[in-house]
Amino acid sequence: MLVVARKNTKHIDVLESQITSRGQTTIPASVLRTLNLKKGVDRIQYQVLPSGDVLIPRKQKEENDPIIGKFLDFLANDIVKNPQHLQALPEPLLCRIDKITEGVEIGNLDTPLPDDEG
């Protein structure tokens, strides 16, 4: 069951839609309006709660910070052009990092992340 609570109201709409043999459903028009979703443009997410209930919020658009990208490019170029400026981390800092991250397991960083996009 999908329960949609509209903003600024105490009334809760209980809506249903049928699941097709291909596992698809149509989102009711009132839900599209409530979430301000645009067909063919917006995406939704499915958040499965420990209780077994599922929340279906609008997927927030990722905001890319153009400054961060330019800064990282600058650093990468500087490292290539000026490798003599690279310095090893001081031993006390390395020990502190080891202490803070003790027990933290890091998987294989070369393994691709799973594609959760549907």
Side-chain angles (χ1 to χ4, degrees), residues 67-95:
I67 303 302
I68 295 291
K70 289 179 181 179
F71 178 68
L72 293 175
D73 289 342
F74 165 78
L75 288 179
N77 289 330
D78 189 55
I79 289 170
V80 170
K81 291 178 184 175
N82 302 296
Q84 71 277 10
H85 292 168
L86 295 178
Q87 298 178 11
L89 293 175
E91 188 65 30
L93 179 57
L94 288 173
C95 290

Side-chain angles (χ1 to χ4, degrees), residues 5-13:
R6 292 190 176 148
K7 294 178 183 177
N8 303 324
T9 180
K10 294 180 183 177
H11 176 73
I12 295 179
D13 292 334

